[in-house]
Amino acid sequence: MTSVADYGRRHGACWAANRTIALGLALHEKTVAAALREVEGELVLSEHHAPTGTLARRVRPVAEDELAVTVSAVARNCLSGHRFKVYCAISVRSDLGQAVSAAQLAEACGMTPEGARTTARDLVADGWVSRVGSRGGAFKYTVHPAQLSGVAVQLGLFPQPRQSARPDAVVGLEDVVGEWVCAGQLALFGDGSVEETPLDSAPETPLDRLPETPLAAAPLTGHSQQARVNRHLSVVGCCSRVAETLVTRDAGAREGGPLRPGPGVVGASVGPLRGEQPKIAAATVPVVLGGGCPGVARSPRSAGSVFGLPDALRVALTPVDDLWQRLNGTSTREFVAGRVWAELRRIAMWSGREAAPEVLAGRLSRRLDRQQGSALVTDPVGWLLSRGLPQEQVCARTSCDDGIRLDTGALCDTCEMRLADRRATRSAVVAQALAGMPGADYADRQGAIEERLREHAFVKAEQQMTARRRAEEQRFRDEADRPVREAAAAAAEEERVAVPCADCGAERSAGLCGICWCRREARAAITEAVNAALTTVDLRDRDAVNALTRQVRDGMRTAMLAARPARELGLDAHAVANSDMLAAKNRATDYRQEALALLAQSPEAEQEAKQASDAVRRAGHRYRSTEDLRDAVTAAAHEARWHTAHHLYGQRHRAVEQLRERTRALRQPQEGGTVSRYEAALATVTAFGGTA
């Protein structure tokens, strides 16, 4: 629909065939025909022009009771994301003739007010919209269907925003606008002698390539001398310092030809701003080293631009480029750059290394907007170190910065809750104040409300002072009681350490010395290894159980002896006990893995693996090839086999533990007599379903 609107903007109707529109949109002709059939009759009106019968299409005008606007295809293709949302919201407001603020744009586009304000500023700078007036933070916008390439010279016709300080020798734009008009303004707005305005001179195809980007957008090559060979180009016949662009020395070579003035540079002729521009040599473009009007001396501040800095510093310091240019001295810039790097490292802990420069740039933009521009900053170094770079944590959340979270970039919910709580408290206080004076006039009500709010603030401050005083008193009491608490803790620790070892009787062992603890851990590892091995045999076979138990214990003993350090080293008993413990634990892990491998080959595991494989084969039509199906069957069988092995291991391990507990209980003497070995064995075998 936007393509039809762009074609019809010049002749009133779109006479292009489906093939022409498809070529412009890089789509198939049938796809364009199907899309046009869907919108014809509702959004696009079609009619046959007699006598040739050519189909003419035009976009249906928006009715008075509809809230809609038509957006050009150029804007739809060039803008995306939040930029396109804000562009559409501004288009609706502009069509209604209403001013719009950043808060209204944020509510309509689902974004933060700061983001809406920044996006609208970018759209103005790129030439998609123009704005005038600022009543209560709301601007009145004028929307352009295509990007106005020479929008920088429009500042002569619209009220200028606050600009940064400039040297006395540089002539301001406000000093020359009243006397003459720039040639770029004639190309933008027309003075009667120009054939067409930029908006009327639409190309033959609405999706033709836009003019080349300004040479200021040429990427930095990283060469060490690139920042020093940048030169300023001025618009012919325009003294605006805003129209300066940066051109690298190798820009023409990288573009594949001689230098060409981009949309931001109006060359030797005044022509349409869209379509092909005449190629001119680099020598025909006047080079002004100082920027602004010819003959004016170059300001020393221009040498300190952020262009040529590392990428992270350049992105972070772009909002404060004016302040960076005002830093005189290499040592000062190095000191500030070091502080910026330190702040980037702190931000990277929350947002990551890649997003840290953008986060810091957003912080500097917010702080500069709060300062109402860089012109009011008298001390750039002090402002950057004290107000621009430090994090301002509004609430108790450590990731909060000016009410915005550093980790997610969203609004801080803690700050939102605190703000909502304050608003709710104020509403309650106001309602309570108005309830007692129903018949009072406006002045009396306002006075009562202010008095009640003042009393509430006084009570709140008094409560905070009381809480702070109590916390201070508690801290003093804790400091006074600290020696007593430390003495009690030392006495308890001395009492705990004085207990002798329960196994060897060593004094001051806290109940168990290090050697005995290692020996207990080694015995527990041996028991665990025996239990793991017993999960693979029939527990009712007493001979097999005894033989496997002896084999495991001998293997554990051999592993511990082999792992002991050599006697020539003269190691003490602590080292030997620790070596035995580590060797026993490692060997117990090996026995467990061997038991799992044997259980994975059991009939139960094979049956589960077969069922899992059959289930995957039944869904074989979902796989793209036989190899993929074979891999999926193998993986499913392997997973089912090992899941079954773990299940069987856990089940049999619990059975072994229960057998040990019953055997231990039967071996202990009971009240009134003892239990014979025959009775203990009979009870054990009976418990597992065997016969004596």
Side-chain angles (χ1 to χ4, degrees):
M1 189 186 71
T2 54
S3 299
V4 173
D6 280 353
Y7 276 108
R9 182 171 289 111
R10 183 173 184 179
H11 300 290
C14 175
W15 301 91
N18 294 346
R19 182 178 181 182
T20 304
I21 299 178
L23 290 175
L25 296 176
L27 298 174
H28 196 274
E29 183 177 355
K30 294 182 179 180
T31 305
V32 174
L36 289 175
R37 282 196 300 269
E38 292 181 1
V39 298
E40 281 182 355
E42 297 181 0
L43 300 178
V44 176
L45 303 180
S46 302
E47 57 183 8
H48 292 274
H49 185 272
T52 58
T54 306
L55 187 63
R57 300 185 180 96
R58 57 186 179 86
V59 178
R60 181 177 63 83
V62 179
E64 295 293 337
D65 56 345
E66 293 180 344
L67 184 59
V69 292
T70 303
V71 181
S72 64
V74 178
R76 183 63 187 91
N77 294 337
C78 296
L79 300 177
S80 61
H82 288 304
R83 288 169 60 88
F84 184 70
K85 292 181 181 179
V86 174
Y87 180 81
C88 293
I90 292 176
S91 300
V92 173
R93 286 283 184 168
S94 176
D95 185 69
L96 297 176
Q98 299 176 359
V100 59
S101 61
Q104 294 172 343
L105 291 176
E107 182 179 0
C109 302
M111 54 193 305
T112 60
E114 184 62 31
R117 184 181 298 108
T118 304
T119 306
R121 188 186 303 117
D122 294 342
L123 291 175
V124 173
D126 295 342
W128 289 103
V129 296
S130 302
R131 65 183 182 185
V132 294
S134 177
R135 179 176 300 178
F139 293 91
K140 194 167 184 179
Y141 290 88
T142 301
V143 181
H144 308 304
Q147 184 179 9
L148 295 185
S149 305
V151 74
V153 299
Q154 297 182 56
L155 298 178
L157 302 183
F158 296 100
Q160 297 186 77
R162 186 184 302 274
Q163 298 182 357
S164 60
R166 57 175 178 266
D168 298 335
V170 178
V171 181
L173 180 62
E174 63 275 8
D175 301 331
V176 297
V177 165
E179 300 180 2
W180 51 275
V181 179
C182 299
Q185 297 173 355
L186 301 180
L188 286 173
F189 305 100
D191 60 344
S193 60
V194 184
E195 296 181 4
E196 292 178 329
T197 60
L199 297 181
D200 290 336
S201 56
E204 291 298 326
T205 328
L207 298 179
D208 282 348
R209 292 185 55 194
L210 293 177
E212 297 183 6
T213 55
L215 293 178
L220 296 177
T221 60
H223 197 273
S224 59
Q225 297 182 355
Q226 183 179 20
R228 286 176 285 185
V229 301
N230 287 339
R231 294 295 182 264
H232 296 273
L233 300 181
S234 63
V235 175
V236 177
C238 180
C239 291
S240 173
R241 299 176 63 220
V242 187
E244 297 172 0
T245 57
L246 290 175
V247 184
T248 57
R249 182 169 56 183
D250 57 344
R254 288 187 288 104
E255 294 294 335
L259 287 178
R260 172 186 293 183
V265 180
V266 181
S269 62
V270 178
L273 295 180
R274 298 180 61 180
E276 293 294 330
Q277 298 289 337
K279 297 183 179 181
I280 57 176
T284 61
V285 181
V287 177
V288 184
L289 298 180
C293 299
V296 179
R298 183 184 179 184
S299 171
R301 301 173 182 173
S302 301
S305 176
V306 297
F307 292 97
L309 293 176
D311 292 340
L313 280 181
R314 178 176 55 82
V315 174
L317 295 176
T318 297
V320 292
D321 186 20
D322 295 342
L323 300 181
W324 181 262
Q325 295 180 20
R326 291 163 59 182
L327 299 181
N328 297 325
T330 306
S331 59
T332 304
R333 294 196 184 97
E334 291 178 353
F335 174 73
V336 175
R339 300 294 293 270
V340 174
W341 280 119
E343 193 62 31
L344 286 175
R345 286 191 293 269
R346 282 191 290 267
I347 296 176
M349 298 173 59
W350 294 101
S351 61
R353 182 179 300 177
E354 299 295 334
E358 294 290 344
V359 174
L360 184 56
R363 176 191 297 179
L364 293 175
S365 299
R366 293 192 302 270
R367 306 286 171 79
L368 202 60
D369 292 343
R370 188 188 309 171
Q371 190 72 26
Q372 298 181 358
S374 59
L376 299 181
V377 178
T378 57
D379 184 7
V381 178
W383 186 89
L384 288 172
L385 299 182
S386 62
R387 295 188 180 182
L389 295 177
Q391 176 185 355
E392 292 187 3
Q393 184 178 341
V394 181
C395 61
R397 187 186 294 272
T398 55
S399 62
C400 176
D401 182 25
D402 293 337
I404 300 176
R405 296 182 58 175
L406 293 175
D407 49 355
T408 61
L411 295 178
C412 181
D413 50 356
T414 306
C415 296
E416 293 291 331
M417 289 187 292
R418 292 176 68 248
L419 182 60
D421 181 67
R422 291 181 180 179
R423 290 175 177 173
T425 303
R426 179 181 177 87
S427 300
V429 172
V430 171
Q432 185 179 3
L434 296 179
M437 44 188 321
D441 55 358
Y442 177 79
D444 295 340
R445 291 198 302 269
Q446 289 298 115
I449 291 174
E450 294 295 335
E451 184 65 24
R452 188 63 61 89
L453 290 176
R454 192 179 300 108
E455 293 177 358
H456 181 270
F458 179 77
V459 172
K460 189 71 174 178
E462 191 175 22
Q463 292 176 355
Q464 293 178 355
M465 291 296 297
T466 302
R468 191 178 296 110
R469 184 173 60 255
R470 291 177 179 176
E472 193 70 17
E473 293 175 356
Q474 182 65 31
R475 188 177 66 83
F476 287 148
R477 288 194 297 268
D478 294 342
E479 291 292 337
D481 297 342
R482 178 181 295 179
V484 179
R485 295 196 307 272
E486 292 178 353
E493 181 67 17
E494 179 65 23
E495 183 179 357
R496 186 187 68 84
V497 173
V499 179
C501 178
D503 292 349
C504 63
E507 298 181 355
R508 299 183 62 81
S509 300
L512 189 66
C513 64
I515 298 177
C516 295
W517 178 81
C518 291
R519 291 174 178 174
R520 284 189 179 186
E521 292 292 325
R523 287 194 292 268
I526 295 175
T527 303
E528 183 63 25
V530 172
N531 294 344
L534 291 178
T535 58
T536 60
V537 299
D538 187 3
L539 298 178
R540 294 172 296 186
D541 190 353
R542 184 175 182 179
D543 296 336
V545 170
N546 293 335
L548 184 59
T549 301
R550 287 192 297 270
Q551 179 183 356
V552 172
R553 288 180 176 176
D554 293 342
M556 295 289 290
R557 187 179 297 108
T558 303
M560 289 188 295
L561 291 176
R564 285 184 178 180
R567 295 182 178 180
E568 292 79 5
L569 299 178
L571 300 177
D572 54 0
H574 289 277
V576 174
N578 186 52
S579 175
D580 292 345
M581 178 191 66
L582 295 178
K585 288 185 176 181
N586 294 334
R587 188 55 182 160
T589 304
D590 296 339
Y591 276 109
R592 182 178 183 274
Q593 295 298 329
E594 294 174 1
L596 287 174
L598 291 176
L599 292 175
Q601 301 175 3
S602 62
E604 296 87 349
E606 293 296 336
Q607 183 179 0
E608 291 292 334
K610 184 178 181 304
Q611 293 179 359
S613 302
D614 294 341
V616 174
R617 288 191 184 96
R618 285 193 295 269
H621 60 280
R622 300 180 180 178
Y623 297 91
R624 294 179 295 182
S625 62
T626 307
E627 290 76 9
D628 295 344
L629 176 60
R630 187 182 300 110
D631 295 342
V633 169
T634 304
H638 179 76
E639 184 177 1
R641 188 178 291 109
W642 278 100
H643 278 303
T644 306
H646 281 83
H647 173 72
L648 294 176
Y649 178 83
Q651 185 178 6
R652 298 187 181 187
H653 192 275
R654 287 191 296 270
V656 173
E657 291 289 344
Q658 293 176 4
L659 178 60
R660 284 184 177 277
E661 293 293 336
R662 290 188 180 185
T663 305
R664 190 180 299 110
L666 291 174
R667 286 180 178 177
Q668 293 178 358
Q670 299 180 355
E671 297 179 1
T674 60
V675 180
S676 63
R677 296 177 58 185
Y678 175 76
E679 294 177 350
L682 178 62
T684 302
V685 174
T686 305
F688 285 90
T691 58

